[in-house]
Structures are given as C-alpha cells and as structure tokens.
C-alpha cells in the first residue's frame, strides 16, 4: 500500500508534486464538508467510509455544523481497526512537513477559514499559474502574498471549513488543495504563507 501511494505522487515539469487518485466525494447542498472530506481520505487509505454515516457520528446538521471532536473520535476508532494510525498535527504543518507527507503519498486533512477572500485568491491563482513561467510566477506569488499577510487573520468562527492538502511546489512555495465540492474543485493553489494565514491550526493525517 505504501508503494501504491508513493506511486500516486505526480511530479510535473513545472515543479508541482500532487497526489492523484484521491476519491472525489461531493458534499452536496447539505454542507457535509467535514464528513465528505474524511470519507475521501479514509477511502484513499483503503478504509471503508460513508459520508452519511460519518455525518451521523459527528451530529452534522443540514447546512453544516459538524461536531468535529466527536467525528474525529469515531474516525480514529475506524482507522485503528483498519490497522492505520490517525494523528492530529500540532498546529499548521510547516512547508517541510507538507513536502514530506505529500512525497510519501499521504494527504493532509486541513481545517481552514474558507472566506470570500480566500476563495477569490485561490480561484485567480489557480487560473493564472497555468500560463506563466515558474520563475516569474514565484515573484508574483510572493508579492501578492505580502499584501494578504498584512491583513488581520480571520476570526475564529469565520467560514470554518475542511479540505485536503494534496500537493506543493518547492520552487514557488505553494500548496495544492482539493475541496469536496465536485470535479471543478479537485485542485486549487495558494501560497504556503497564505495557507497558514487562513488556517484554523487544526490538521489531521491518516498514516500507516
């Protein structure tokens, strides 16, 4: 299984390293972002999971509102029973930690503040980076990140969300993430510094 997951890492000519084959689970209109995202990671690590059962375990209401500690405890038991480990990271991972886990084919469950500003940056950045030389792009990312980092961090209750960090670019110091909103949101990009700015400081990994 370790070999399979390492083989899932796609190393692109522009320096992107991205984990492929993470199942897409669309959370739909019910706001099941937490159970849908946990299902995606569990299934990727070959652990049976179902978004609706996870939603029940986490007391998720219609429109969202999962009690994450309860869901995490339930997931932990399922992960252990499948012979895997489930770890809560201490705060937001460093860029080096992200590199290490992605290189081994292990995605990171990431709690963040998915604000309007965050999504505007991610959408624009993902579109623009496709047609710009990586060296020129690095300068653009750094300049734009400086402006964002001068703004106040989101309030603790603002637009709380969870998605999956599944890639990085070492040269430009960007991270790739995938949302449980359907195929259009399978891969988006933002700088590592911006990711930390919008992070809730809550991340988890399912490992061997």
């Amino acid at each position: 299984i370790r070999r399979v997951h390492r083989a899932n890492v796609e190393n692109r000519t522009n320096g992107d390293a991205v984990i492929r084959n993470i199942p897409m689970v669309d959370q739909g209109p019910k706001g099941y972002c937490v159970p849908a995202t946990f299902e995606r990671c569990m299934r990727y690590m070959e652990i049976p999971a179902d978004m609706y059962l996870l939603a029940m375990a986490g007391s998720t209401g219609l429109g969202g509102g999962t009690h994450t500690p309860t869901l995490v405890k339930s997931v932990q038991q399922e992960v252990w029973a499948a012979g895997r480990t489930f770890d809560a990271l201490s705060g937001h991972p460093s860029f080096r930690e992200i590199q290490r886990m992605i290189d081994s084919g292990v995605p990171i469950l990431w709690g963040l503040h998915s604000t309007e500003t965050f999504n505007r940056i991610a959408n624009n950045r993902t579109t623009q980076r496709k047609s710009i030389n990586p060296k020129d792009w690095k300068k653009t990312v750094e300049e734009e990140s400086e402006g964002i980092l001068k703004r106040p961090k989101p309030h603790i209750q603002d637009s709380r969300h969870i998605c999956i960090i599944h890639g990085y670019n070492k040269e430009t110091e960007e991270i790739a993430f995938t949302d449980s909103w359907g195929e259009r949101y399978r891969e988006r990009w933002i700088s590592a510094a911006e990711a930390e700015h919008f992070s809730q400081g809550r991340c988890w990994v399912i490992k061997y």
Side-chain angles (χ1 to χ4, degrees):
I1 294 174
R2 287 190 179 96
R3 288 196 298 270
V4 168
H5 287 156
R6 282 196 296 268
N8 280 334
V9 181
E10 177 185 3
N11 291 289
R12 301 170 182 166
T13 56
N14 67 346
D16 292 349
V18 179
I19 298 174
R20 302 169 298 172
N21 301 324
I22 298 176
M24 174 54 70
V25 177
D26 192 336
Q27 70 184 59
K30 295 183 178 182
Y32 282 8
C33 73
V34 177
T37 305
F38 270 88
E39 179 186 342
R40 296 180 69 191
C41 271
M42 291 172 71
R43 285 174 52 194
Y44 174 77
M45 296 299 290
E46 301 189 13
I47 303 169
D50 179 87
M51 171 176 65
Y52 296 100
L53 294 177
L54 290 170
M56 291 173 61
S59 302
T60 307
L62 292 177
T66 300
H67 188 252
T68 305
T70 303
L71 177 60
V72 165
K73 185 176 180 180
S74 178
V75 167
Q76 190 174 52
Q77 293 171 346
E78 294 294 325
V79 169
W80 286 347
R84 308 283 187 272
T85 61
F86 182 80
D87 293 334
L89 303 185
S90 178
H92 188 80
S94 68
F95 191 66
R96 181 174 292 183
E97 288 177 301
I98 291 172
Q99 286 181 265
R100 179 172 52 80
M101 284 184 272
I102 299 304
D103 287 343
S104 63
V106 176
I108 303 166
L109 290 142
W110 174 35
L112 70 149
H113 298 281
S114 183
T115 64
E116 182 179 342
T117 299
F118 172 85
N119 284 288
R120 183 177 69 251
I121 296 167
N123 291 339
N124 291 340
R125 202 72 58 71
T126 302
T127 300
Q128 293 168 359
R129 75 191 303 273
K130 296 176 182 177
S131 58
I132 299 179
N133 181 286
K135 291 184 179 179
D136 296 332
W137 182 240
K138 180 179 181 179
K139 183 178 179 181
T140 299
V141 170
E142 289 174 348
E143 291 175 350
E144 292 184 0
S145 294
E146 284 179 7
I148 295 300
L149 299 181
K150 291 177 182 177
R151 301 183 182 186
K153 291 179 71 71
H155 186 271
I156 191 171
Q157 296 295 334
D158 284 349
S159 305
R160 291 188 297 179
H161 181 55
I162 187 169
C163 63
I164 299 169
I165 296 175
H166 72 310
Y168 70 90
N169 186 299
K170 184 178 180 180
E171 176 65 24
T172 59
E173 294 192 4
E174 294 173 280
I175 62 112
F177 64 98
T178 174
D179 278 290
S180 302
W181 296 338
E183 290 298 326
R184 285 180 56 199
Y185 297 91
R186 181 172 283 280
E187 180 180 321
R188 291 195 290 168
W189 289 83
I190 198 165
S191 77
E194 290 165 333
E196 185 170 1
H197 179 80
F198 287 100
S199 182
Q200 296 179 33
R202 298 192 303 166
C203 295
W204 304 266
V205 289
I206 300 172
K207 301 188 296 184
Y208 310 101

